[in-house]
Amino acid sequence: MVGKILIPEIKSMIDARNFGALRELFKEWPPADLAEVILDMDENDRVIIFRVLPHTLAADVFEYLDVDAQQELLRAMAHEQVVAILNEMSPDDRTALLEEMPSAAARQLIKLLTPEERRIAQALLGYPEGSVGRLMTPDFIAVHDEWTVKEVLDYVRENGQDTETLNVIYVVDDRGKLIDDLRIREFLLKPLTVKVGEIRDQTFVALRVNDSQEEALNAFRKYDRVALPVVDSSGVLVGIVTSDDMLDVAEEEATEDIQKLGGMEALDEPYTTIPLLRMVKKRATWLIILFLGEMLTATAMQGYNGEIEKAAILAMFLPLIISSGGNSGSQATTLVIRAMALGELRLRDWFRVVRKDLLSGFSLGLILGGIGFLRIAVWQYLHIYDYGTYHWLVGLTVGASLVGVVLWGTLSGAMLPFLLRRCGLDPATSSAPFVATLVDVTGLLIYFNVALFILRGTLL
């Protein structure tokens, strides 16, 4: 907020070429706040600001920009600036930038790195896309069993300035194999002569380089850690993943699931930058599928034309019946998908979900069915609308249909994610619109068959 207020002053400094004052102004700013201000400036001003920033601060600020803004800046900045920023960036953030760029451009940027940074970048990019190996950073503190607390703290002072985090110290053997991890407080609270081997408890959690980012996210949730070590197939410590990386993964996962729940493919890129044709393509596929599904509704209604002609009053309540079933199904599928994403539900829990949703669906159906019956009775009693001689049978038909449709919608919405997971598909594709379309068709069948049963010999 303060940064936005100062934008006119920043612009005036740039126009006056008062770069010394600009450097002093930004020197004490948090990188995240400075990145927010830079995004509100035009491209030329952004480049000027990066020129006056110290290389280390410029790299920190650069990491907080989105990929599109990063690419624009790289194209606009001088060669020396690009080299400095790329070499100062943390390896995991640099990997995220390189994997979003065209392969030819990424190769050119990799050539600008120092031999050591190039080796790290190529190693991280060599892991499968979406794996923990792409997220990890090789900047961490590793110590040995025979070291004393004093030796560890001296080593941290000497080598800790470039590490991703100092909250956790990792213990490795002579071959680099991870044998424990310890919080820094353990060393700060122990006498300087105590050895590492006397402190550690031999209990730790580690990720593997080929684990999926979703598995890593679940591990962070389960163990409530700020960082987790990453080991290769031999158990050798090769990097760490920190909570800030997991926040980005969690945001991406949530965005993807929300978009799928809306009845479309995940966009995989920001809404503001995705090309129009690509967005239309991602939305059209599911819309066509849903449209074809809704055509079955018209087909189902054609089979009951005779009943509708005899009791046209039944058509008045079609939207009420269909929407109630779709809404209940959408609620159920959303709850189950989210519970699956959080690890609260697994495939083996399907029967427990069936039992719970049988009761909840029936209860919700009774509530809506009672309201539907009451509505018809009140309208008839107050002479707002005349439903005919058999108005109470019409009310009973609507009420009973609502019980059946809501119960069916709830069960369908709850079970579809389990079916998709069992088939190896993403449960999020069991979107609310898809469930609603399914329940629309089956809801018509339930409604008209209930009407045939209750109204036979009277209106039908």
Side-chain angles (χ1 to χ4, degrees):
M1 180 63 71
V2 174
K4 292 181 180 294
I5 295 173
L6 292 177
I7 283 179
E9 182 181 345
I10 295 170
K11 286 183 175 292
S12 65
M13 289 182 184
I14 293 174
D15 294 338
R17 295 295 187 263
N18 192 355
F19 299 137
L22 198 62
R23 187 181 294 107
E24 286 298 316
L25 175 65
F26 290 144
K27 188 170 62 176
E28 302 299 329
W29 279 31
D33 292 344
L34 187 48
E36 186 177 348
V37 170
I38 287 175
L39 289 175
D40 289 330
M41 313 290 286
D42 59 44
E43 185 175 307
N44 290 333
D45 290 341
R46 292 180 187 179
V47 175
I48 291 173
I49 290 173
F50 268 88
R51 282 178 183 167
V52 303
L53 294 178
H55 291 326
T56 303
L57 178 57
D60 290 340
V61 173
F62 192 80
E63 292 173 4
Y64 282 97
L65 302 177
D66 59 67
V67 172
D68 292 325
Q70 288 177 336
Q71 292 179 4
E72 289 176 7
L73 270 172
L74 289 176
R75 287 192 291 267
M77 286 190 296
H79 176 81
E80 294 78 11
Q81 285 181 284
V82 174
V83 171
I85 287 177
L86 286 177
N87 281 287
E88 287 288 342
M89 287 181 73
S90 60
D92 52 339
D93 290 319
R94 184 173 57 216
T95 302
L97 169 64
L98 293 174
E99 68 182 358
E100 291 294 330
M101 301 190 73
S103 56
R107 284 196 296 271
Q108 291 298 320
L109 292 180
I110 290 174
K111 291 179 182 178
L112 302 179
L113 300 174
T114 63
E116 176 63 18
E117 294 297 333
R118 186 183 308 135
R119 182 189 65 78
I120 293 171
Q122 290 173 334
L124 295 182
L125 288 169
Y127 294 112
E129 188 173 350
S131 68
V132 170
R134 290 285 187 102
L135 284 178
M136 72 179 183
T137 176
D139 298 331
F140 55 87
I141 292 291
V143 300
H144 296 280
D145 248 357
E146 65 275 10
W147 290 16
T148 65
V149 170
K150 182 181 184 306
E151 290 174 319
V152 170
L153 294 178
D154 289 341
Y155 183 79
V156 170
R157 291 189 191 96
E158 184 177 349
N159 300 280
Q161 65 273 10
D162 295 324
T163 60
E164 186 80 3
T165 177
L166 291 175
N167 291 336
V168 184
I169 306 296
Y170 300 94
V171 186
V172 297
D173 62 15
D174 294 334
R175 294 175 297 173
K177 187 174 181 179
L178 179 67
I179 55 178
D180 210 344
D181 61 357
L182 295 168
R183 288 179 170 84
I184 189 67
R185 62 174 296 178
E186 299 292 339
F187 297 98
L188 297 176
L189 298 176
K190 297 293 182 181
L192 295 178
T193 55
V194 172
K195 291 189 175 182
V196 173
E198 301 173 34
I199 300 175
R200 62 186 187 87
D201 55 12
Q202 299 181 350
T203 59
F204 63 92
V205 179
L207 302 170
R208 296 195 174 272
V209 288
N210 290 321
D211 286 348
S212 69
Q213 294 179 5
E214 185 177 351
E215 289 173 319
L217 186 59
N218 290 334
F220 270 85
R221 287 194 186 115
K222 181 176 181 180
Y223 298 104
D224 194 24
R225 304 296 293 272
V226 296
L228 282 176
V230 182
V231 298
D232 63 13
S233 57
S234 302
V236 174
L237 180 61
V238 292
I240 63 171
V241 176
T242 54
S243 56
D244 61 322
D245 298 316
M246 287 298 101
L247 288 174
D248 294 335
V249 171
E251 182 180 351
E252 291 172 8
E253 294 278 344
T255 300
E256 181 178 321
D257 287 346
I258 289 170
Q259 289 171 348
K260 288 181 178 179
L261 282 171
M264 61 181 177
E265 295 180 45
L267 297 183
D268 297 325
E269 54 186 302
Y271 174 84
T272 53
T273 60
I274 185 172
L276 177 62
L277 290 179
R278 193 179 304 164
M279 184 170 69
V280 170
K281 180 182 177 182
K282 287 181 175 291
R283 295 179 63 180
T285 303
W286 269 102
L287 279 177
I288 292 171
I289 294 173
L290 294 171
F291 179 75
L292 294 175
E294 289 290 359
M295 289 176 68
L296 295 175
T297 305
T299 303
M301 287 187 67
Q302 290 171 7
Y304 294 97
N305 274 339
E307 286 73 16
I308 294 176
E309 289 175 1
K310 292 178 185 177
I313 199 169
L314 293 176
M316 293 175 56
F317 298 99
L318 274 174
L320 176 72
I321 302 294
I322 291 175
S323 63
S324 297
N327 291 340
S328 63
S330 299
Q331 285 182 341
T333 198
T334 301
L335 291 172
V336 170
I337 289 172
R338 187 56 182 164
M340 282 183 165
L342 295 175
E344 298 171 357
L345 289 177
R346 294 176 175 79
L347 277 176
R348 64 175 180 265
D349 298 319
W350 70 271
F351 188 68
R352 184 157 60 97
V353 174
V354 167
R355 286 187 302 177
K356 177 173 284 190
D357 279 301
L358 270 174
L359 293 174
S360 64
F362 185 70
S363 301
L364 293 168
L366 283 177
I367 293 171
L368 296 185
I371 294 173
F373 180 86
L374 187 62
R375 190 267 191 193
I376 293 173
V378 170
W379 257 240
Q380 182 72 27
Y381 178 77
L382 297 177
H383 304 293
I384 297 175
Y385 188 87
D386 184 11
Y387 293 102
T389 307
Y390 300 102
H391 59 85
W392 64 276
L393 287 177
V394 173
L396 185 60
T397 299
V398 171
S401 298
L402 281 169
V403 173
V405 169
V406 171
L407 176 58
W408 168 246
T410 301
L411 281 176
S412 301
M415 289 297 102
L416 268 175
F418 283 97
L419 179 61
L420 290 172
R421 175 66 66 82
R422 185 67 182 85
C423 295
L425 301 174
D426 186 355
T429 56
S430 172
S431 60
F434 182 71
V435 173
T437 301
L438 172 66
V439 177
D440 284 352
V441 179
T442 52
L444 280 173
L445 299 177
I446 293 172
Y447 179 43
F448 283 112
N449 279 288
V450 169
L452 283 171
F453 179 77
I454 294 178
L455 298 176
R456 189 182 301 276
T458 54
L459 292 178
L460 300 178

